[in-house]
């Protein structure tokens, strides 16, 4: 029994570790979005953000490009993990060993850090003013619009789009494979459904951003208006950042029980009852 539990834990580790890394990437994205991008976009402390746009613009692009690309790679890793569980169940545990998974995740983060280096030098942060949805003058934090910057962002978004398409292709294959199987272990079905839900967030961002970038670069005309684009982009990002924690809540029973059931266990109290008899004067008790 202990050996069987150990094998199940090893099989689930690759999925859980990758899911945790997606949550970390989304958390970093959300911190920049809430503390920097949103206040600047709605005109709060606009002079402050304009004066510091030379480096905040770099941070904004780091959030929009390297972190989004890293999330897309994590989606592919999860999709490949689920596909190998169905196609190659015998060697799945050996293929996705804990050491190998940790090395893969480490390499992804190293590549993400390396991708940030061009944004430190030679690119420079910048800003543009625009009218926010509440009719205030908002500040959009960007990088300087030279050719290298355009190529950098376009190439990264194209790679991100390809990774999401690869993940979708994997899930399409998984769906066909699962439909042909009569029985599936409950753990495999649960992990696969969770993986599909997590990946939908990145796919929504690609559907909003990639066509707009390609149309702007090829035809010089954007598909969406500025108001429509920012609305769709914010919705896609909010969904992408929220879906992974909810999947963790669904997938991890301990977290779900802790948050939803809120079982309060009162500490046990030890009572000691001491009985004694007081002798009477006549010697009897």
């Amino acid at each position: 029994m202990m050996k069987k539990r150990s094998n199940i834990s090893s099989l689930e580790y690759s999925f859980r570790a990758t899911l945790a890394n997606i949550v970390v990437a989304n958390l970093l994205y959300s911190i920049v979005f809430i503390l920097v991008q949103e206040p600047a976009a709605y005109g709060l402390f606009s002079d402050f953000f304009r004066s510091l746009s030379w480096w905040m613009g770099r941070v904004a692009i780091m959030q929009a490009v390297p972190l989004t690309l890293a999330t897309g790679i994590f989606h592919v890793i999860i999709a490949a993990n689920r596909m190998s569980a169905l196609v190659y169940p015998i060697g799945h545990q050996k293929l996705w060993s804990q050491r190998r998974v940790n090395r893969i995740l480490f390499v992804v983060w190293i590549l993400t850090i390396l991708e940030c280096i061009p944004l430190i030098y030679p690119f420079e942060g910048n800003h543009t003013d625009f009218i926010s949805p509440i009719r205030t003058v908002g500040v959009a934090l960007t990088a300087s619009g030279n050719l290298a910057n355009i190529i950098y962002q376009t190439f990264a978004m194209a790679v991100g789009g390809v990774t999401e398409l690869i993940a979708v292709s994997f899930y399409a294959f998984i769906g066909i494979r699962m439909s042909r199987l009569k029985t599936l272990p409950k753990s495999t079905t649960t992990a696969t459904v969770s993986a599909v839900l997590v990946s939908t967030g990145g796919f929504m961002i690609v559907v909003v951003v990639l066509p707009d970038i390609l149309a702007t670069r090829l035809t010089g005309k954007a598909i969406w208006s500025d108001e429509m684009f920012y609305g769709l982009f914010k919705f896609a990002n909010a969904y992408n950042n929220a879906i992974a924690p909810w999947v963790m809540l669904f997938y991890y029973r301990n977290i779900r029980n802790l948050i939803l059931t809120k079982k309060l266990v009162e500490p046990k109290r030890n009572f000691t009852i001491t009985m004694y008899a007081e002798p009477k004067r006549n010697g009897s008790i």
Side-chain angles (χ1 to χ4, degrees), residues 35-98:
L35 298 182
V36 178
Q37 283 190 320
E38 282 296 271
Y42 284 97
L44 299 177
F45 312 108
S46 55
D47 291 337
F48 170 78
F49 288 112
R50 288 191 190 98
S51 64
L52 296 179
S53 63
W54 62 274
W55 70 270
M56 282 192 174
R58 298 171 178 174
V59 174
I61 301 301
M62 288 179 187
Q63 171 224 36
V65 179
L67 280 178
T68 302
L69 183 56
T71 304
I73 296 174
F74 290 141
H75 290 165
V76 173
I77 294 173
I78 284 184
N81 173 270
R82 293 297 88 207
M83 187 173 68
S84 67
L86 292 173
V87 177
Y88 192 49
I90 297 177
H92 179 76
Q93 180 181 357
K94 183 178 180 180
L95 180 64
W96 295 94
S97 64
Q98 182 171 337

Side-chain angles (χ1 to χ4, degrees), residues 9 20 29 48 145:
S9 177
Y29 188 102
F48 170 78

Side-chain angles (χ1 to χ4, degrees), residues 17-232:
T18 309
L19 180 60
N21 278 265
I22 291 176
V23 172
V24 170
N26 290 343
L27 178 62
L28 294 174
Y29 188 102
S30 298
I31 290 174
V32 178
F33 186 78
I34 294 173
L35 298 182
V36 178
Q37 283 190 320
E38 282 296 271
Y42 284 97
L44 299 177
F45 312 108
S46 55
D47 291 337
F48 170 78
F49 288 112
R50 288 191 190 98
S51 64
L52 296 179
S53 63
W54 62 274
W55 70 270
M56 282 192 174
R58 298 171 178 174
V59 174
I61 301 301
M62 288 179 187
Q63 171 224 36
V65 179
L67 280 178
T68 302
L69 183 56
T71 304
I73 296 174
F74 290 141
H75 290 165
V76 173
I77 294 173
I78 284 184
N81 173 270
R82 293 297 88 207
M83 187 173 68
S84 67
L86 292 173
V87 177
Y88 192 49
I90 297 177
H92 179 76
Q93 180 181 357
K94 183 178 180 180
L95 180 64
W96 295 94
S97 64
Q98 182 171 337
R99 178 179 295 181
R100 182 171 295 172
V101 170
N102 289 336
R103 287 178 178 176
I104 292 174
L105 297 176
F106 178 76
V107 169
V108 173
W109 281 113
I110 291 297
L111 292 176
T112 302
I113 294 173
L114 293 177
E115 191 182 358
C116 293
I117 292 178
L119 296 172
I120 300 175
Y121 181 84
F123 295 162
E124 294 182 0
N126 206 342
H127 73 274
T128 57
D129 294 343
F130 66 99
I131 303 300
S132 71
I134 60 175
R135 313 311 298 174
T136 58
V137 180
V139 178
L141 299 169
T142 61
S144 299
N146 51 39
L147 181 60
N149 176 37
I150 294 174
I151 294 174
Y152 172 84
Q153 294 192 47
T154 304
F155 176 77
M157 288 305 299
V159 173
V162 170
T163 58
E164 295 297 343
L165 290 176
I166 292 174
V168 170
S169 301
F170 283 170
Y171 288 127
F173 178 82
I174 290 171
I176 296 173
R177 182 83 175 187
M178 291 178 68
S179 65
R180 295 177 179 177
L181 298 175
K182 295 182 180 180
T183 58
L184 276 174
K186 184 179 178 181
S187 59
T188 301
T189 303
T190 302
T192 303
V193 172
S194 300
V196 172
L197 290 174
V198 169
S199 298
T200 55
F203 185 70
M204 287 183 64
I205 294 177
V206 171
V207 168
V208 172
V209 175
L210 189 58
D212 188 77
I213 291 178
L214 293 177
T216 304
R217 298 291 181 259
L218 297 177
T219 65
K221 186 178 180 180
I223 297 177
W224 324 103
S225 64
D226 290 342
E227 293 79 7
M228 179 64 72
F229 176 80
Y230 284 116
L232 292 173

